Amino acid sequence: MQLPKEILEIAEGIKNMRIRGAGRIAKAAVQALKITVERSQAKNPEELIKELDYVAKYLLHTRPTAVSLPNGIRFVMYRVKTAFKNGANLEDLKITAIDAADKFIKNSELAIKRIGEIGARRIVSGDTILTHCNSSAAISVIITAFKQGKDIQVYATETRPLFQGRITARTLANAGVPVTLIVDSAVRFFMNEIDKVVVGADAVAANGAVVNKIGTSQIALVAHEARTRMFVAAETYKFSPETMIGELVKIEERSPLEVVDEEFLRQNPNVKIRNPSFDVTPPEYIDLIITEKGVIPPQGAVLVLKEEFGWIIGEELIRGKEVYSTYESCGID
Ligand code: RUB
């Protein structure tokens, strides 16, 4: 199937990280589904479903870790497929898909704002905050607290190998927040000055473990040792339903060329390079997860999953992961 240029660009942008960060990836994928409908040549509902299925599966293979991507796709596809099963005609199916995509994107933007408001309540004047990588949700907490007049300062790790921390530092500085950029390995050196760590998430598992940019779990360990609180800011669509049946979140490993250049590789053929993009922070090292619906201890993650995905998941779980592992089987609202 020949995909429209804009969709190929979105998929490529997610793969090469021009579009990055779990929330932005999800919104871009959902936008691609909307474009599919707008450019569709389908002559009947069956053809439209086939086109959407194809694009959905194509997008699912762009980056493996951020659960927001399959969850965003599920949000749209579940509604489209339900309408299809209920006999919707082509025009109604298109409207359903476009409305669902718009709703997901709008909800996602509102969630960031709400996480900012809810999270900012946990920040007090005088706090020094550490953040890692570049998370819209974590930044929303920090900037909201700052705009409320709280006297805070931030340490941002540079986040090797791709330096997303520089984007964070620039964003915070542009908003007027006092910010200091540090190398990743300086975290323990500064931890005694830190009151709270605030990071984002690519996925939250049913047991409350959080998958986020590589280095997060090391920061959590150091925070735990120093009795510094560790907060994770995550929209509810970052919670992974697959983990309810014991699936592990897949950790993406990227090219060695993000770590060293080609010359190094050529000159050192016996040096192996590994470049995992994310790691898993166990729930014991997390004090609070800030969602748009409120704060939960990590142990509350399973309740969020039940609320978001409904008890129907239970039935699908019993039927086994073959059924469940397709995005078709679940409905989130
Ligand atoms: C980004 C990253 C971010 C989360 C949350 O990794 O780990 O902390 O995705 O971001 P990458 P947000 O740069 O590899 O995509 O809160 O914006 O969804």
Side-chain angles (χ1 to χ4, degrees):
M1 186 175 159
Q2 185 65 32
L3 292 180
K5 194 167 144 266
E6 290 116 299
I7 292 173
L8 291 173
E9 271 170 16
I10 290 175
E12 199 44 44
I14 295 174
K15 264 191 218 162
N16 66 25
M17 291 179 61
R18 182 178 55 76
I19 303 167
R20 41 149 307 282
R24 279 180 293 256
I25 291 174
K27 280 188 275 179
V30 164
Q31 183 66 23
L33 292 177
K34 183 176 166 179
I35 295 170
T36 306
V37 174
E38 288 167 347
R39 303 275 184 283
S40 172
Q41 304 288 321
K43 293 181 194 61
N44 53 49
E46 288 75 13
E47 280 181 25
L48 182 67
I49 293 286
K50 226 169 130 187
E51 284 177 5
L52 281 169
D53 260 334
Y54 185 87
V55 173
K57 282 177 188 142
Y58 190 81
L59 292 164
L60 282 174
H61 288 107
T62 48
R63 277 193 92 186
T65 302
V67 172
S68 50
L69 173 68
N71 280 350
I73 290 172
R74 282 179 179 117
F75 185 93
V76 176
M77 293 306 288
Y78 176 77
R79 283 161 181 74
V80 173
K81 294 216 169 175
T82 304
F84 178 66
K85 276 183 208 143
N86 292 338
N89 63 28
L90 182 61
E91 209 37 50
D92 286 347
L93 265 194
K94 285 186 175 178
I95 292 170
T96 303
I98 290 172
D99 284 354
D102 287 342
K103 188 172 173 195
F104 182 86
I105 292 168
K106 190 165 157 255
N107 283 354
S108 155
E109 278 151 13
L110 282 174
I112 292 292
K113 189 167 174 284
R114 202 65 201 112
I115 285 173
E117 290 160 2
I118 294 170
R121 290 188 207 139
R122 308 279 144 183
I123 309 293
V124 295
S125 255
D127 272 351
T128 299
I129 298 163
L130 174 80
T131 191
H132 183 54
C133 195
N134 178 243
S135 156
S136 312
I139 287 176
S140 178
V141 171
I142 295 167
I143 292 186
T144 307
F146 181 74
K147 283 192 177 154
Q148 288 170 348
K150 290 173 185 164
D151 174 20
I152 56 172
Q153 57 163 316
V154 177
Y155 281 96
T157 54
E158 59 179 355
T159 318
R160 279 275 295 157
L162 294 181
F163 303 105
Q164 291 94 324
R166 291 180 185 172
I167 308 173
T168 300
R170 199 181 315 129
T171 306
L172 292 175
N174 288 344
V177 181
V179 58
T180 307
L181 190 68
I182 60 171
V183 296
D184 300 343
S185 45
V187 164
R188 192 160 183 255
F189 183 87
F190 288 108
M191 191 51 84
N192 286 334
E193 293 177 33
I194 310 290
D195 298 291
K196 281 147 202 168
V197 177
V198 183
V199 295
D202 281 79
V204 180
N207 70 349
V210 167
V211 181
N212 191 49
K213 178 54 57 189
I214 190 78
T216 304
S217 68
Q218 212 163 282
I219 293 173
L221 193 63
V222 174
H224 186 71
E225 179 199 41
R227 294 175 55 85
T228 300
R229 268 161 298 170
M230 175 87 190
F231 295 166
V232 175
E235 304 89 308
T236 49
Y237 61 76
K238 309 256 180 82
F239 286 62
S240 163
E242 283 84 356
T243 57
M244 301 262 286
I245 50 165
E247 289 288 307
L248 299 176
V249 175
K250 189 162 187 271
I251 302 294
E252 176 181 18
E253 240 188 274
R254 295 183 62 87
S255 164
L257 288 171
E258 289 180 354
V259 181
V260 294
D261 57 19
E262 282 191 32
E263 198 187 334
F264 183 95
L265 279 185
R266 249 195 324 274
Q267 287 173 355
N268 300 279
N270 296 328
V271 176
K272 194 172 162 189
I273 313 258
R274 298 278 309 268
N275 182 21
S277 215
F278 302 97
D279 63 21
V280 184
T281 301
E284 304 83 68
Y285 296 156
I286 297 164
D287 292 283
L288 212 57
I289 302 180
I290 305 159
T291 80
E292 73 278 15
K293 301 205 170 153
V295 294
I296 52 159
Q299 294 72 17
V302 68
L303 301 175
V304 171
L305 278 162
K306 283 290 179 200
E307 194 187 301
E308 289 305 303
F309 292 85
W311 287 98
I312 190 134
I313 285 183
E315 290 165 29
E316 298 298 343
L317 294 178
I318 294 162
R319 282 161 60 196
K321 73 175 184 189
E322 290 77 22
V323 179
Y324 188 65
S325 62
T326 70
Y327 54 79
E328 292 157 42
S329 54
C330 96
I332 53 173
D333 211 332

